[in-house]
Amino acid sequence: MFDYNSFTNAVIQANKELYGYINTHMTQFDLEESSQIGFGGDRTLNIDIIAENIFIKYLSSFGDIFSEEVGSISNNSNIKIIIDPLDGSHNFASSLEYYGTSVAVKKNDEYIAGYVCNLCTAVLVYRENEDVNRVNILTEQFLSSYENSNPNISIFERAYAYPEIAKKLKENSIKYRSPGAAALSLSNARNYQFVLFAGKLREFDIAASLYINKDLEIFKNDEFLIITKNYSNLLLIKEIIKVF
């Protein structure tokens, strides 16, 4: 049996250690490019490697690690842990306060848990089975779950690469933001009209949020991911991006 309580505590402790490092030990060296090319193909910052090592330390005993920076670390387990140790690292490097971490868990190729932490607010959102929870990683106190019942903005991650879609959204009077941290945006989809993520869909970016929001309306193909509470919004955005 997978021990949800122990794993959740390990995720909290990993995020807490990374939060502490960022806020008390950061140096200019951490923001410099490392010599390493991540598994995702991007050149990594030193802070990416530091963050990854923290998560590996806390989580590797639970199963195989699959991380954006190092790739796969296998113990031949039926548990696979998918990690983005610093979601929104370009935001982080530019002191734009919208970045975090993402952890998803697969058992026998089926997702069983998802965790996304906003390292700017110290709030971890996660789902275990049917329950979505919010916890402050510093106090380890559970927070009230709330939901914007009438959101008036949406999120379009990577809008800069899709000007024609941006134009169509404007024509439909849809207000949106493109904050630059996919996991954070997707995990909070229930507080927006919709979240549209365009471009290469990597498991690191989307796995945890897909599980957290599995009760919402979801469309995914090779280039687009849409998550929304409202089925009519799903149909509208699908029409805009022409993926019927």
Side-chain angles (χ1 to χ4, degrees), residues 21 26-34 45-47 50:
Y21 182 88
M26 279 285 298
T27 67
Q28 184 60 41
F29 171 80
D30 296 313
L31 299 179
E32 295 174 359
E33 288 188 348
S34 74
L45 304 178
N46 289 316
I47 187 62
I50 291 169

Side-chain angles (χ1 to χ4, degrees), residues 116-127:
V116 175
C117 183
N118 186 325
L119 288 173
C120 302
T121 62
V123 174
L124 175 72
V125 178
Y126 67 98
R127 178 190 284 270

Side-chain angles (χ1 to χ4, degrees), residues 77-105:
S77 170
N78 67 336
I79 299 294
K80 181 180 178 182
I81 303 162
I82 302 100
I83 303 170
D84 185 348
L86 190 57
D87 174 46
S89 55
H90 291 293
N91 287 356
F92 176 82
S94 300
S95 297
L96 177 59
E97 294 189 342
Y98 193 75
Y99 53 85
T101 68
S102 175
V103 177
V105 183

Side-chain angles (χ1 to χ4, degrees), residues 123-127 130-135 141-148 188 190-191 212:
V123 174
L124 175 72
V125 178
Y126 67 98
R127 178 190 284 270
E130 300 308 313
D131 297 321
V132 178
N133 301 293
R134 299 172 69 249
V135 64
Q141 297 297 307
F142 284 95
L143 306 173
S144 60
S145 294
Y146 60 87
E147 187 173 314
N148 187 343
N188 200 35
R190 64 190 71 241
N191 286 310
I212 289 169

Side-chain angles (χ1 to χ4, degrees), residues 43 53 68 71 74 82 104 136 146 153 174 186 188 203:
R43 183 169 294 279
N53 287 337
E68 183 174 20
S74 178
I82 302 100
N136 184 301
Y146 60 87
I153 66 166
I174 296 173
L186 290 166
N188 200 35
E203 193 173 18

